[in-house]
Amino acid sequence: MCPVHMVAGVLVLVGALNWGIVGFFEFNLVSYLVGSMITLEHVIYGLVGIAAILMLFVCKCGKCNTYKSGEGSCCNAGEKKM
């Protein structure tokens, strides 16, 4: 996996675990960890949401092994090499 998808995967995992804890134990781990920093909490939730959207799209970089020719990276998957 490329670095973009690794970070997105970790964020999605963190978000999923947090929602599982909220669902089963009525305890919000993110809120507990950041304390009274509501803005930081919202930033974390926003990043988890963006990561989830990124994970919906297939990466065409060689590191993710989803693009058979191995050209490009997550940042320049649409660009052609000369």
Side-chain angles (χ1 to χ4, degrees), residues 21-43:
I21 292 169
V22 168
F24 287 116
F25 305 110
E26 296 180 14
F27 178 76
N28 188 336
L29 184 61
V30 173
S31 181
Y32 174 77
L33 291 175
V34 298
S36 61
M37 295 183 279
I38 301 298
T39 303
L40 181 58
E41 185 176 349
H42 286 261
V43 168

Side-chain angles (χ1 to χ4, degrees), residues 44-72:
I44 292 169
Y45 291 142
L47 290 173
V48 169
I50 291 169
I53 292 168
L54 283 174
M55 294 301 286
L56 288 174
F57 298 100
V58 176
C59 183
K60 293 180 168 70
C61 73
K63 291 182 183 177
C64 288
N65 297 322
T66 58
Y67 193 68
K68 292 187 179 182
S69 69
E71 295 177 21

